[in-house]
Amino acid sequence: MRVLFIHQPYRFDIDPAVSPIVVPRNLLLLGACLRQHGIEVKLLDMQPDALGPEAIAPVVEDYAPDLVGLHIHAAPYLPGAAQCVAAVKACRPGTTVAVGGIFPSILAEELFPHVPGLDVVVLNEGEETVVKLVKALGSGKSLADVPGIVYRNAEGTPRRTAATGPLENPGSYPFPAYDLLQIDKYRLPGRLPPYVETQRGCPYACKFCGVHYPNWGHTVRYFPPSRVADEVELVVRGHGFDQFFVADDTFTTDRRHALAVCSALIERGLHREAAWSAYTRVDRIDPELLEALYEAGCRSLAIGVEAGSQKALDSINKRATLQQYAEAIAMIKAAGIAVHALFILGFPDVDHDDTAASARFLRATDPTITQFFIFHPTPGTEFWACPEKHGIQFKVEQPSDWYRFDFVEEPLSSTRHLDKGEIIKYLALFNLAFRSVADPTEDVELQRRLERNALPRKRKEVCFGWTGDRGFYYNPDLPPGVPRMDLFRNCLRLTALQYEVLLRCNGDHTIEEIAAVVARLFDLEAPEALSVVVDILRRFEELRIIHPLAALAEYTGEAASPGGAPAAAGGGDGGPARAEGAGAAASPAAPGTRCGPCPAGVPPGAR
């Protein structure tokens, strides 16, 4: 029996220069398990040379495999996997094709319509299942008797076989078969280092993460520390790597286990030959443990901060406090270990104030590097199963739709608080403002804009316009008791000045910058313009025309001077005023038209 594994690129439709190149440890591990049972294995490694689907047919025709296997780690891999399956079936229609991984294990039956030609989904851990599958194919045994799979029967219908349980001792299987790779290609600069496991499973239940599904709930199973050191020695001394990554969901889940692994690495002298990184949690570290990690060669720890407000953290069930995150980041840095903070933008219950809080948190804690992602509902989570409950909507109608579940693609859906454009804008701004994987520089002025939340934003349901010599706005969510005008229900007048202010409530202009434009357009002194703009924005907030604007609380008294900010536009935390550039976007109101400031407390259109 012959098995061909295909290590496909992340995506075929993007520039190979930005596609990650990752050692396929999972496929190498399965290959080693098959070899242990006398089964021949070959790997088509497409990632290092950016091979396309056309490279598959020559290999399949020459090798004539009985089974072709692919790993689908996450949704964006699916369209490429479908292309690979089609290429296999085009040249050898009778070849059985199987896929495995976290993503297929969760959706299983739902994959078949999206991957024509797919024969089998291997569920959960595959070390034993894939061996039984190949033996069944070789003996002509029915796939219905192979536990732990979903297969397409003779009628073309997916059928699930008997369930398997978690591997009792996942550390007892052979080491990955690195000889299946051209390993030299993975030692090139810029390539990701190989990874090792010291445990499987995650005891936590973060609301956005589906990793627990194929890992048998929230149980954790540990590899013997000596076995971990053996594999690290193979990677470092056997294959010449000076870095590796511990891929556990939380390496420090069990303090004793983490310390034992560190001791095993030190005893072998591996801490002097390779640096490594791992994931941790803020409630699973302490100074003594961090000292041991550093001594054992750990030089970077990744923490899923996700968001910078307690409300946001609670909404995704992180079971940690902002204070814990701040203390942990300081503690890790004090130990000489780099902090890699991970943030997700656009969670369903996160609003503009929460996002500004993330900027404040980053400014205050200063992680070594920060990486930003866009939220997408993950199969196996409540966000996926009940999106309407959380105010999000999405559809998957064709294979290419799965690309949209990439964490760096556009959002699948607007939320109750942020529309898609705002989430995209935040992703770009946070990457520009803070040290990120894409851009290691920092923009302090942009950081201040983000953290202050002094950027007025119109609610998406509000529309407005200018006609003739007057403006108007429509708001379906007007508070009770607001006077209506005679255009039609929920439509009220805007003065020229109010229109100019609302025109700039798009998340691009600070309060001071809007005031600078108003001063120029309506011939007002800077303090008077700022006072007028603040009054208008407060009334807009009361009328639910704009989103709540926390920065308005900074302004007090007739002069409307913010605490700690300038009384007029031009510098300070809000950044320099751009009166000339903003004025270029002026409304149809004639330049130089003078409209007196609205009396305080008078609603737009009620004069």
Side-chain angles (χ1 to χ4, degrees):
M1 293 294 289
R2 291 180 170 179
V3 174
L4 173 67
F5 287 124
I6 296 177
H7 183 215
Q8 69 180 73
Y10 178 57
R11 292 171 58 161
F12 287 117
D13 69 326
I14 60 176
D15 188 330
V18 298
S19 185
I21 297 175
V22 184
V23 174
R25 181 183 182 276
N26 41 21
L27 295 178
L28 304 182
L29 178 56
L30 295 181
C33 292
L34 290 167
R35 282 178 169 178
Q36 204 174 45
H37 290 265
I39 298 166
E40 186 178 339
V41 181
K42 182 181 181 70
L43 176 73
L44 173 57
D45 194 8
M46 304 178 76
Q47 282 195 11
D49 298 320
L51 301 178
E54 67 281 356
I56 293 174
V59 176
V60 170
E61 289 171 349
D62 177 67
Y63 188 61
D66 301 287
L67 174 71
V68 172
L70 298 96
H71 177 260
I72 303 178
H73 175 68
Y77 285 84
L78 182 61
Q83 291 176 266
C84 293
V85 172
V88 172
K89 291 294 186 176
C91 61
R92 282 181 61 89
T95 302
T96 300
V97 179
V99 301
I102 292 176
F103 178 73
S105 295
I106 296 172
L107 291 183
E109 289 89 347
E110 298 177 48
L111 290 191
F112 288 87
H114 294 282
V115 188
L118 177 63
D119 299 299
V120 178
V121 173
V122 175
L123 303 172
N124 307 317
E125 296 166 303
E127 285 90 333
E128 294 182 356
T129 302
V130 72
V131 173
K132 294 176 182 177
L133 173 62
V134 174
K135 288 184 175 181
L137 292 172
S139 64
K141 185 179 178 181
S142 172
L143 295 185
D145 297 326
V146 178
I149 65 171
V150 175
Y151 71 99
R152 193 192 300 269
N153 66 11
E155 292 75 37
T157 304
R159 288 286 181 262
R160 184 176 290 252
T161 64
T164 58
L167 299 178
E168 292 184 6
N169 186 4
S172 65
Y173 295 90
F175 294 123
Y178 284 98
D179 61 290
L180 291 171
L181 294 174
Q182 289 181 278
I183 200 68
D184 290 347
K185 294 182 178 181
Y186 288 88
R187 286 195 293 265
L188 297 176
R191 304 270 163 106
L192 295 173
Y195 66 92
V196 300
E197 294 178 285
T198 84
Q199 59 184 263
R200 286 187 187 174
C202 179
Y204 303 99
C206 298
K207 204 169 179 178
F208 61 92
C209 181
V211 72
H212 63 277
Y213 189 94
N215 283 324
W216 312 102
H218 303 291
T219 60
V220 181
R221 291 155 293 145
Y222 297 94
F223 290 30
S226 59
R227 200 270 189 199
V228 175
D230 288 342
E231 184 171 349
V232 171
E233 188 169 1
L234 173 65
V235 167
V236 174
R237 293 171 180 164
H239 297 293
F241 288 95
D242 60 3
Q243 296 182 60
F244 64 92
F245 174 63
V246 177
D248 306 346
D249 294 303
T250 304
F251 172 59
T252 57
T253 298
D254 185 292
R255 189 176 187 277
R256 290 174 299 178
H257 172 75
L259 289 171
V261 170
C262 290
S263 295
L265 296 177
I266 292 170
E267 288 173 4
R268 306 278 183 97
L270 294 166
H271 64 303
R272 292 189 291 267
E273 299 176 37
W276 52 278
S277 56
Y279 289 111
T280 189
R281 270 182 61 100
V282 296
D283 55 354
R284 286 292 180 268
I285 56 172
D286 57 70
E288 181 185 359
L289 177 59
L290 291 171
E291 182 181 353
L293 264 61
Y294 183 87
E295 185 181 357
C298 178
R299 293 297 179 265
S300 177
L301 284 174
I303 298 179
V305 183
E306 322 305 357
S309 80
Q310 193 60 52
K311 185 192 85 178
L313 293 177
D314 293 343
S315 76
I316 55 174
N317 197 35
K318 282 295 290 185
R319 291 166 53 186
T321 67
L322 275 180
Q323 183 64 29
Q324 285 178 300
Y325 280 107
E327 292 172 355
I329 290 173
M331 192 190 309
I332 294 169
K333 290 165 66 177
I337 299 173
V339 181
H340 187 163
L342 307 173
F343 274 74
I344 297 177
L345 302 171
F347 281 121
D349 294 314
V350 165
D351 58 23
H352 292 292
D353 282 342
D354 296 315
T355 308
S358 292
R360 289 193 292 272
F361 178 85
L362 285 168
R363 286 256 292 161
T365 58
D366 191 29
T368 314
I369 193 169
T370 309
Q371 193 170 5
F372 303 99
F373 304 90
I374 284 179
F375 165 77
H376 288 104
T378 301
T381 68
E382 182 180 312
F383 292 127
W384 173 273
C386 308
E388 299 83 4
K389 175 181 174 182
H390 299 283
I392 52 178
Q393 297 178 347
F394 59 90
K395 290 182 179 179
V396 179
E397 297 175 337
Q398 53 189 358
S400 61
D401 287 341
W402 291 106
Y403 280 146
R404 298 168 58 215
F405 288 78
D406 188 335
F407 283 101
V408 294
E409 278 280 359
E410 69 175 46
L412 282 172
S413 171
S414 296
T415 70
R416 296 188 187 100
H417 306 287
L418 306 176
D419 63 34
K420 292 171 65 172
E422 289 172 325
I423 298 171
I424 292 169
K425 187 183 294 186
Y426 273 135
L427 179 68
L429 292 177
F430 270 81
N431 272 297
L432 291 171
F434 297 96
R435 281 193 293 254
S436 69
V437 170
D439 183 356
T441 62
E442 289 188 303
D443 184 334
V444 175
E445 286 304 313
L446 183 53
Q447 291 176 6
R448 290 172 176 169
R449 290 173 74 98
L450 288 169
E451 72 174 1
R452 186 165 165 236
N453 193 20
L455 303 171
R457 298 174 179 86
K458 178 185 73 68
R459 289 184 182 272
K460 58 187 175 183
E461 63 268 21
V462 172
C463 62
F464 67 104
W466 185 268
T467 177
D469 62 349
R470 69 189 63 188
F472 68 92
Y473 73 93
Y474 165 77
N475 183 6
D477 189 33
L478 278 175
V482 175
R484 265 64 177 176
M485 61 185 294
D486 58 1
L487 291 179
F488 56 90
R489 180 175 172 79
N490 293 355
C491 199
L492 292 99
R493 294 175 188 264
L494 290 170
T495 66
L497 197 154
Q498 294 161 349
Y499 176 86
E500 292 293 342
V501 173
L502 186 55
L503 184 66
R504 288 163 180 81
C505 292
N506 60 1
D508 290 332
H509 308 283
T510 65
I511 298 170
E512 292 83 8
E513 289 168 347
I514 296 173
V517 176
V518 166
R520 184 172 63 82
L521 291 178
F522 296 94
D523 192 23
L524 300 176
E525 294 296 325
E528 182 184 10
L530 184 58
S531 179
V532 168
V533 168
V534 168
D535 285 341
I536 290 174
L537 290 174
R538 282 176 175 155
R539 191 56 177 151
F540 280 174
E541 190 177 61
E542 292 172 7
L543 293 169
R544 301 173 188 161
I545 295 173
I546 63 173
H547 288 280
L549 193 59
L552 286 176
E554 299 174 7
Y555 299 87
T556 58
E558 293 300 319
S561 298
D573 282 353
R578 298 195 309 274
E580 183 179 348
S587 76
T593 300
R594 175 77 185 229
C595 287
C598 299
V602 177
R607 297 179 62 189

